[in-house]
Amino acid sequence: MYESFYHLSANPFRLTPDPSFCFSHPAYQEAHAYLQYAFELGEGFILLTGRPGAGKTTLVESFLRSFDSAELVAARIAVTDFEASELLRAVAYRFNLEAEGVDKATLLRRIERFFASRVTAGGRV
């Protein structure tokens, strides 16, 4: 109905966020600028928080689409209730690192080595 009324080429109300339908309002622009700044600094992890439906996933997907996969390898983990070791395991899985049945120190070492290998190859994680 809204597609024909508003002359849209696709459904903007899908369950999976679509960055093609991003509305660049002032709060979005500010959050995007923070992501860009954090990326340019190249220090640590970026944590984006907000209320459900606020557009966090759409913002991140839009931001990540602006990079070539050779330049940046990213993992988006959209879970709110993780223990620290579970988070490390999720990060390892997202980067296709073996994480089954290994301890925290091993997980950290594998993740660190992966990050270092990407930097050595001229990329970012």
Side-chain angles (χ1 to χ4, degrees), residues 63-86:
F63 179 74
L64 293 177
R65 282 187 178 185
S66 66
F67 295 96
D68 182 346
S69 62
E71 179 184 8
L72 174 69
V73 175
R76 180 174 44 88
I77 299 173
V79 176
T80 60
D81 190 25
F82 266 144
E83 296 293 325
S85 61
E86 292 172 321

Side-chain angles (χ1 to χ4, degrees), residues 20-65:
S20 304
F21 291 100
C22 228
F23 175 62
S24 186
H25 53 84
Y28 171 90
Q29 292 170 2
E30 181 180 4
H32 193 278
Y34 278 121
L35 286 176
Q36 186 67 43
Y37 179 71
F39 177 77
E40 288 172 6
L41 286 179
E43 297 181 6
F45 286 84
I46 299 170
L47 174 66
L48 184 63
T49 63
R51 292 182 169 190
K56 301 175 298 294
T57 303
T58 306
L59 169 67
V60 169
E61 290 301 321
S62 175
F63 179 74
L64 293 177
R65 282 187 178 185

